[in-house]
Amino acid sequence: MTISYAPLEGITNWAFRALHHKMFSGVDSYYTPFWTPTVDSPLAGRGLTDMLPENNQGIPVVPQLLTNQAEAFLPAARLLQDMGYREVNLNLGCPSGTVFSKKRGSGFLTQPQEMDRFFDQIFSADLDIKISVKTRVGAESPEEWAAILDIYNRYPIHELTIHPRVRKDFYKGEVRMETFRYAVEQARMPLCYNGDLNSAQDCRDFAAAFPTIQHVMAGRGLVANPALARELKGGPALTQEELHTFHDLLFEDYRQRLFGPRPVLGKMKEIWFYMGSMFQGAEKPLKAIRKAKNLDDYTHAAQALFRDASLIPGGKFVQDP
Ligand SMILES: Cc1cc2nc3c(=O)[nH]c(=O)nc-3n(C[C@H](O)[C@H](O)[C@H](O)COP(=O)(O)O)c2cc1C
């Protein structure tokens, strides 16, 4: 089974991926967070920095684009192809309000005719890069899924990653495994499963239930437990010491590279939203981390956490109900 690191906008930027790849084995590929190309500017700013080959040396990366315009997708895909990428991923799952209302991400799923035309254009273009898709199973209801899959089935999609939730679910509630099973029966392209695989055991349970699926993708579970993929491949479990080192190196990198304490604090606090589930006895320092207003407060709180709290044996990311 191969396992990929899911794209997490705001978290898995190039520096995060490089540090993760250096410290933890097991992840077969990393998907970049989405970049929205425009016709005039296919790749710029944060997206360009994130996808530049020199920032991703030695790391297996799949860049991801978010658009509903073939005229914007194609120049970006060509640039990525020229940079040496073999695959580009199209985001058809993002549930965020602005993305959805612009009919991109999961919003495009509500426009079957436009989506069909978009695929027709991108798959008939002269491109030498594989196109994969990451999708939800609908916007409002999983009843939309059969029609959406029908469209996908008409095109040579390299791989279809399915997060079996609808847009309305955002990232909560049970994953809709019956909808995924329908895809396993009906899809004409290779599938990758994504959703709530928060431990190596979760991945093994999934593999037992869906033995024909060779590829899975994990996001939040890997932020909480950066050694998840290593464990899945038979390697050792996460230790508190290495999580501490990972944390300190990431914090240091953000302090050097980001402008001012505010973005550094924002990024570090977000990671604790996931990593916090790994610890017992961490309520007080976690609260202090959430409340930290400057880098000194933050440093003290994080130090207290690594000193006073301990990893839960077999711990994993647990979502608040
Ligand atoms: C903070 C956050 C940012 C995300 N950013 C992206 C993104 O840029 N592109 C994408 O396809 N999915 C994005 N996702 C969705 C994840 O890739 C993944 O599909 C989702 O978290 C479910 O998988 P998991 O249960 O393993 O985390 C994001 C999710 C979260 C929570």
Side-chain angles (χ1 to χ4, degrees), residues 37 62 75 91 93 97 130-131 187 239:
V62 179
N91 179 324
K130 296 172 197 154
I131 300 172
T239 68

Side-chain angles (χ1 to χ4, degrees), residues 1 20 33 51 79 141 149 172 180 187 191 206 266 269 273 292 301:
M1 170 180 268
H20 183 270
M51 295 173 188
L79 274 179
S141 147
L149 186 61
K172 288 204 166 178
F180 182 73
L191 299 182
F206 170 81
K269 288 182 185 186
F273 180 74

Side-chain angles (χ1 to χ4, degrees), residues 6-9 11 33-34 64 91 134 163 171 194-198 217-221 270 274:
L8 300 171
E9 137 82 351
I11 302 177
F34 68 78
Q64 187 187 64
N91 179 324
K134 181 164 177 280
H163 178 57
Y171 296 108
N194 165 243
D196 298 13
L197 299 179
N198 293 327
M217 179 186 275
R220 296 166 296 178
E270 184 164 13
Y274 304 100

Side-chain angles (χ1 to χ4, degrees), residues 137-182:
V137 293
E140 289 289 317
S141 147
E143 285 172 21
E144 299 156 35
W145 179 229
I148 295 168
L149 186 61
D150 259 358
I151 299 177
Y152 294 156
N153 270 340
R154 286 189 222 132
Y155 296 96
I157 293 172
H158 170 64
E159 184 181 57
L160 183 66
T161 296
I162 301 175
H163 178 57
R165 287 193 167 99
V166 294
R167 186 262 169 168
K168 201 176 66 178
D169 299 332
F170 283 82
Y171 296 108
K172 288 204 166 178
E174 291 291 306
V175 275
R176 300 168 183 275
M177 293 316 274
E178 284 319 303
T179 320
F180 182 73
R181 192 173 288 286
Y182 177 84

